[in-house]
């Protein structure tokens, strides 16, 4: 059974209400079929209360498909690697280890996973012992339930498990490189645990600037997008691909075809869509605990509640902080 968050359920309820209004006859047929299934189940199991059917069962995904999609991508690399589910006490962190040399830890971006580093893992592993992880609540890492309501609780949700992972894997001092949201978490880790960080590298970091003033934001954004944004902020960012059920994979393909193009040079011919399948499965198969926490780190149109511009100066002065932006970061990601 796949769990869902309250935000996903609210989103699903709104969509279901619209579908019921617009497609009455179809809904009546569905109710009739559902009733027959429930009656059949009850007759077959008179001594057992039938389980309530759940809407998320129609999503074409599973944990085994997540694992297969990840393995397909990683096996295209020309290097040996080791993979572990590192136990951190009541949860686990999916970890890939490759190469030899000073330790380098990689944090992926929002909605991504460790397999999306496949472009540069062969090069990095030549010089470093690389530890690529799925952040807590994302990818194939454990989905420990998040029930907080504040940005502070969301930060602690991620940082606590990352620190437990560090202790479990046996690392002392290392370099962190993160991309987008992973860069944000890299900076927060360096801020909270500077004694373990030799160098932090932020690739196109999310959450650096402050959000515009209300008046400025309203002036620059068209009304229709302000309304859409106000509605969207009530739900998890990727809820739409889960509530879309069998149409979810097509939505990922439609809205992010650029991701497939970026991997054409490293994937076998005609298999670049494997990246899109991977992104769909890792964000649909299990409860969106990481998204729940991320949602509390944002406000408005995806602005950070606690932006890094105010916090980076607080990082211990002995920890170097490097930024990679635009083409430089992109070339790193695609291995050029």
């Amino acid at each position: 059974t796949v769990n869902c968050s309250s935000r996903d359920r609210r989103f699903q309820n709104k969509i279901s209400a619209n579908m019921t209004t617009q497609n009455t006859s179809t809904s009546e047929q569905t109710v009739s079929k559902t009733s027959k299934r429930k009656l059949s189940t009850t007759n077959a199991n008179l001594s057992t209360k039938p389980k309530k059917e759940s809407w998320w069962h129609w999503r074409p995904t599973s944990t085994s498909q997540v694992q297969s999609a990840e393995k397909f991508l990683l096996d295209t690399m020309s290097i040996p690697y080791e993979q572990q589910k590192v136990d951190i006490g009541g949860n686990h962190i999916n970890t890939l280890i490759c190469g030899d040399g000073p330790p380098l830890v990689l944090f992926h971006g929002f909605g991504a996973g460790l397999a999306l580093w496949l472009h540069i893992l062969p090069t990095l592993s030549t010089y470093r012992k690389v530890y690529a992880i799925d952040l807590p609540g994302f990818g194939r890492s454990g989905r420990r339930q998040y029930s907080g309501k504040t940005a502070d609780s969301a930060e602690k949700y991620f940082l606590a498990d990352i620190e437990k992972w560090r202790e479990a894997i046996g690392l002392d001092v290392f370099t962190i490189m993160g991309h987008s949201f992973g860069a944000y978490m890299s900076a927060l880790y360096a801020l909270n645990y500077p004694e373990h960080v030799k160098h932090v590298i932020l690739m196109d970091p999310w959450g650096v600037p402050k959000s515009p003033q209300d008046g400025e934001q309203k002036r620059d954004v068209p009304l229709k997008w302000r309304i859409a944004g106000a509605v969207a902020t009530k739900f998890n960012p990727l809820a739409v691909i889960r509530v879309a059920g069998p149409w979810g994979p097509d939505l990922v393909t439609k809205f992010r075809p650029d991701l497939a193009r970026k991997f054409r040079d490293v994937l076998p011919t005609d298999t670049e869509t494997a990246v899109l399948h991977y992104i769909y499965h890792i964000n649909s198969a299990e409860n969106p605990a990481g998204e729940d926490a991320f949602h509390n780190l944002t406000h408005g149109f995806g602005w950070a509640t606690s932006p890094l511009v105010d916090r980076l100066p607080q990082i211990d002065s002995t920890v170097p902080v490097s930024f990679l932006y635009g083409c430089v970061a992109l070339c790193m990601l695609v291995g050029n």
Side-chain angles (χ1 to χ4, degrees), residues 292-307:
D292 286 341
F294 176 81
H295 191 273
N296 281 335
L297 293 174
T298 68
H299 73 96
F301 289 89
W303 298 97
T305 302
S306 299

Side-chain angles (χ1 to χ4, degrees), residues 68-88:
S68 296
E70 179 190 74
K71 187 176 187 301
F72 176 86
L73 293 177
L74 295 178
D75 284 351
T76 63
M77 298 191 301
S78 58
I79 58 169
Y81 67 87
E82 174 190 356
Q83 199 162 5
Q84 303 177 14
K85 283 191 173 182
V86 179
D87 182 15
I88 57 172

Side-chain angles (χ1 to χ4, degrees), residues 137-214:
F138 288 103
R140 292 181 59 220
S141 284
R143 303 297 182 100
R144 179 170 61 85
Q145 195 68 35
Y146 172 76
S147 57
K149 301 295 183 182
T150 65
D152 183 63
S153 68
E155 290 181 10
K156 290 177 179 177
Y157 173 85
F158 292 113
L159 291 174
D161 280 3
I162 292 172
E163 176 59 7
K164 290 178 182 177
W165 170 83
R166 181 200 65 79
E167 295 174 348
I169 206 75
L171 287 176
D172 184 15
V173 179
F174 51 93
T175 296
I176 309 177
M177 183 163 70
H179 175 247
S180 189
F181 173 59
Y184 184 85
M185 292 311 306
S186 298
L188 293 191
Y189 186 86
L191 179 63
N192 286 270
Y193 302 97
E195 67 274 17
H196 298 302
V197 180
K198 182 178 181 180
H199 185 187
V200 59
I201 303 170
L202 312 180
M203 301 174 65
D204 281 334
W206 170 83
V208 175
K210 295 180 180 179
S211 63
Q213 296 298 318
D214 288 346

